[in-house]
Amino acid sequence: MMKKNFRLFITSDIISQLGAGMILVALNWYIIDIYHSNSLIAIVANINVVAGMFISLIAMGVLKCINAKWLAISSYCFRIFFIVLALVLFKMNLDKKLAIYLLALSGGIGWNLYFPASKDILNSFTAEDNTLQINSFAEISMQVGLLAATLFSGILYRYVGFENILVIGIILFVSSLLIFSAVKYSKQNKIKVDEKVKLFPYLLKEKWLLLLGIVLYIPFIGTNVITTALPGYIKD
């Protein structure tokens, strides 16, 4: 039973990463194609990152109080709603820049709600003898979804257009949500709100953990710089 639920979890994760990556990559090409503006790509990247960092702090506190599965499902619903709203703005030829910002928010907030919740669920499948294998498999599934998205988004952008990519993204997220909803796992007891560890005092006390977090964040910054600069460079 646990293997079946883990397979469902990994399948839903790959599909959601495929949808998220496809929209993010296609969004950059859309901005370059329509607005010819690398600065707008930078704004979108900043919205995505800043919103994600802010919501991560909230998500860590929320996870202490509520079920991780409900938080993950909420992240799916949030992303689907914002993508649908952006698609409506595009279809009705309204404020397209607002639609772009909504997509950036959906990625930043949705992903950073989903990621800690998914890790909490992933922990329920691990035991002392399989922690490395399960976490490695989960990481590989995430990279497979993102790499596949990079491969397909450019092809789809050329042949079906950006708005249809949003439709495909919605279908992928809904499919992933339905599969994820079927996942059953052993729920861990949550700490009461008044007993939860205060984040910032804890990080100041455990300085090695704060330093590790900063070091691990450096490649992410580099990746965002390259991702922001590359589309305009290639276009030119």
Side-chain angles (χ1 to χ4, degrees):
M1 182 61 72
M2 188 180 78
K3 288 183 178 179
K4 176 187 175 184
N5 285 298
F6 180 66
R7 284 196 294 267
L8 287 172
F9 173 82
I10 290 297
T11 303
S12 71
D13 191 59
I14 291 174
I15 295 172
S16 70
Q17 302 301 344
L18 179 61
M22 193 179 296
I23 290 173
L24 180 62
V25 173
L27 180 61
N28 286 343
W29 287 114
Y30 176 81
I31 291 170
I32 286 294
D33 194 22
I34 302 301
Y35 295 99
H36 312 286
S37 171
N38 250 43
S39 61
L40 183 55
I41 290 180
I43 292 170
V44 166
N46 286 332
I47 291 172
N48 190 298
V49 172
V50 172
M53 291 176 65
F54 176 74
I55 208 68
S56 292
L57 299 176
I58 297 174
M60 284 186 287
V62 170
L63 267 176
K64 301 260 185 200
C65 312
I66 71 169
N67 186 285
K69 186 174 181 179
W70 282 111
L71 183 60
I73 288 174
S74 299
S75 76
Y76 276 109
C77 295
F78 181 88
R79 285 196 275 195
I80 292 167
F81 174 77
F82 268 61
I83 296 169
V84 169
L85 188 58
L87 182 60
V88 169
L89 291 175
F90 280 120
K91 288 291 186 183
M92 297 183 69
N93 202 26
L94 298 173
D95 194 338
K96 293 186 177 181
K97 280 194 176 181
L98 175 59
I100 290 171
Y101 297 148
L102 289 175
L103 291 173
L105 276 175
S106 75
I109 296 176
W111 163 250
N112 286 279
L113 282 175
Y114 171 79
F115 186 74
S118 67
K119 289 299 181 185
D120 195 29
I121 294 171
L122 188 65
N123 285 338
S124 69
F125 298 118
T126 60
E128 191 172 344
D129 60 343
N130 69 355
T131 302
L132 181 60
Q133 292 90 335
I134 283 187
N135 279 279
S136 298
F137 197 81
E139 181 66 24
I140 290 169
S141 74
M142 180 178 73
Q143 298 301 333
V144 166
L146 291 174
L147 287 172
T150 305
L151 172 65
F152 292 122
S153 60
I155 299 171
L156 289 172
Y157 185 81
R158 178 175 181 180
Y159 291 105
V160 305
F162 183 62
E163 292 178 9
N164 286 324
I165 288 177
L166 293 183
V167 174
I168 294 170
I170 293 167
I171 293 170
L172 288 172
F173 276 124
V174 171
S175 302
S176 181
L177 172 59
L178 292 174
I179 296 170
F180 181 82
S181 299
V183 174
K184 294 180 175 60
Y185 70 103
S186 56
K187 301 177 181 64
Q188 302 170 358
N189 293 327
K190 297 297 177 184
I191 302 171
K192 293 180 181 178
V193 176
D194 58 347
E195 294 176 354
K196 68 183 180 192
V197 176
K198 302 297 182 183
L199 176 63
F200 292 109
Y202 178 77
L203 289 176
L204 291 174
K205 181 181 177 182
E206 303 289 344
K207 291 182 175 59
W208 67 271
L209 188 59
L210 181 61
L211 179 61
L212 178 62
I214 293 171
V215 170
L216 291 174
Y217 208 74
I218 291 171
F220 177 72
I221 296 171
T223 302
N224 271 281
V225 171
I226 293 170
T227 304
T228 301
L230 200 57
Y233 176 78
I234 294 174
K235 185 76 173 177
D236 290 339

